[in-house]
Amino acid sequence: MTTTTMTLAGALNAGLRRALEKDPRVVVMGEDVGTLGGVFRITDSLQKDFGEGRVIDTPLAESGIVGTAFGMALRGYRPVCEIQFDGFVYPAFDQIVSQVAKIHYRTAGAVTAPLTIRIPYGGGIGAVEHHSESPEVYFTHTAGLRVVSPSTPSDAYWMIQQAIALDDPVIFLEPKHRYWERGEVEIDRAPEIVLESARVVRSGSDATVVTFGALVGTALRAAEIAEQEGHSLEVIDLRSLSPLDFDIVEASVRRTGRLVVVQEAPVFCGIGAEIAARTSERCFYQLEAPVLRVGGFDIPYPPAKLESHHRPDPDRILDAVDRALAA
């Protein structure tokens, strides 16, 4: 067993490298992914090692990137697209939801689209407009797409490889705020957990906190503070937003009786709303308090100097936990 310490960004690079090595059908494409190695250097040195035919610098045209990759997927390749920032994905939205997501159903299962679309998402890096959005719910609402988000270097390393190996199209959301955080990665043994599985990252008994991506670390800090105050929080990392591994959430809520869902996107009609509804349907008699949601405010993403007030922090999570415990 070989274990090494990597940043989340480095783990994604290593995962892409391994996928390119294992399968000659894998190609990486996007704006500046080649010579530059990507804005966040996720594809650093890949073009040098695998050539311009497999790591392709594209024009600045997201619809063209995804449309071309879709055509390549239909011809047997396994393209991995990079969208530089979350807010830039919308020109490709029609390609994704109208074509990529529907081809398997449209052809009665005869045609697949093994296409992975990498999107750095979320705030916390002091960026300008269109660089800090959380568009996950647009894609989770679209049947035919898988939507996943790693929160640790280990998950990033393995999940990107699992996504590329699937015959389904995958929206691979990368929490850019966590790109530089380090963690241990077992690089030669795949984890038992599969791509669409949630996981309990901290056990607890008083309330359940469910989140994903960049906010898993924030929820863990809130749980540490709560422990000092005498409360035990269970923290669940969803990892997959579509499909949802709701069984783990349900089992936890049945034990704790309380649920707080945390997301960076605005609360209205977000992932938290879906989880709250399912919890009410399946755990109504076990709930000791209403399901509470913590998220961004219902506004366009604010200027960088205000984003710390917009993004959920441990205090906002703990405020919701206190309200749940007081009910």
Side-chain angles (χ1 to χ4, degrees), residues 96-166:
I96 296 169
V97 303
S98 298
Q99 307 301 330
V100 173
K102 292 180 171 57
I103 190 66
H104 193 68
Y105 183 82
R106 182 185 298 144
T107 62
V111 177
T112 59
L115 169 59
T116 301
I117 302 173
R118 296 179 39 243
I119 307 175
Y121 79 114
I125 63 168
V128 297
E129 188 179 24
H130 305 310
H131 291 68
S132 300
E133 299 183 18
S134 297
E136 64 270 6
V137 74
Y138 296 131
F139 301 111
T140 59
H141 187 70
T142 303
L145 297 176
R146 292 177 183 253
V147 184
V148 302
S149 180
S151 65
T152 67
S154 180
D155 273 358
Y157 177 74
W158 288 109
M159 287 172 67
I160 189 64
Q161 295 179 64
Q162 292 169 337
I164 294 168
L166 284 174

Side-chain angles (χ1 to χ4, degrees), residues 201-216:
V201 293
R202 181 186 176 109
S203 297
S205 57
D206 294 334
T208 301
V209 178
V210 172
T211 189
F212 57 93
L215 292 180
V216 173

Side-chain angles (χ1 to χ4, degrees), residues 27 65 67 72 79 102 137 142 151 155 166 178 202 242-243 278 299 305 316:
V27 294
I65 294 169
M72 294 177 74
K102 292 180 171 57
V137 74
T142 303
S151 65
D155 273 358
L166 284 174
R178 303 292 182 189
R202 181 186 176 109
S242 181
R278 290 198 189 196
I299 59 173
K305 65 181 180 180
R316 288 177 60 192

Side-chain angles (χ1 to χ4, degrees), residues 149-194:
S149 180
S151 65
T152 67
S154 180
D155 273 358
Y157 177 74
W158 288 109
M159 287 172 67
I160 189 64
Q161 295 179 64
Q162 292 169 337
I164 294 168
L166 284 174
D167 286 335
D168 296 326
V170 179
I171 303 297
F172 196 91
L173 298 169
E174 301 171 4
K176 67 174 84 78
H177 181 60
R178 303 292 182 189
Y179 269 152
W180 302 277
E181 292 195 1
R182 307 183 73 85
E184 289 191 348
V185 180
E186 294 182 13
I187 62 174
D188 55 2
R189 187 178 70 176
E192 295 179 3
I193 197 167
V194 293

Side-chain angles (χ1 to χ4, degrees), residues 27-49:
V27 294
V28 174
M29 56 197 299
E31 300 159 15
D32 299 320
V33 300
T35 304
L36 181 64
V39 171
F40 295 102
R41 304 299 186 266
I42 305 301
T43 55
D44 190 39
S45 297
L46 295 183
Q47 189 181 76
K48 175 175 67 69
D49 295 337

Side-chain angles (χ1 to χ4, degrees), residues 177-253:
H177 181 60
R178 303 292 182 189
Y179 269 152
W180 302 277
E181 292 195 1
R182 307 183 73 85
E184 289 191 348
V185 180
E186 294 182 13
I187 62 174
D188 55 2
R189 187 178 70 176
E192 295 179 3
I193 197 167
V194 293
L195 185 65
E196 64 268 20
S197 296
R199 64 188 179 102
V200 176
V201 293
R202 181 186 176 109
S203 297
S205 57
D206 294 334
T208 301
V209 178
V210 172
T211 189
F212 57 93
L215 292 180
V216 173
T218 307
L220 288 171
R221 289 198 298 275
E224 292 170 0
I225 296 169
E227 184 177 36
Q228 297 171 10
E229 298 172 349
H231 301 307
S232 174
L233 303 186
E234 182 147 294
V235 179
I236 295 176
D237 178 2
L238 289 174
R239 301 174 78 250
S240 174
L241 307 183
S242 181
L244 273 174
D245 183 10
F246 192 76
D247 289 346
I248 285 182
V249 177
E250 179 179 355
S252 178
V253 172

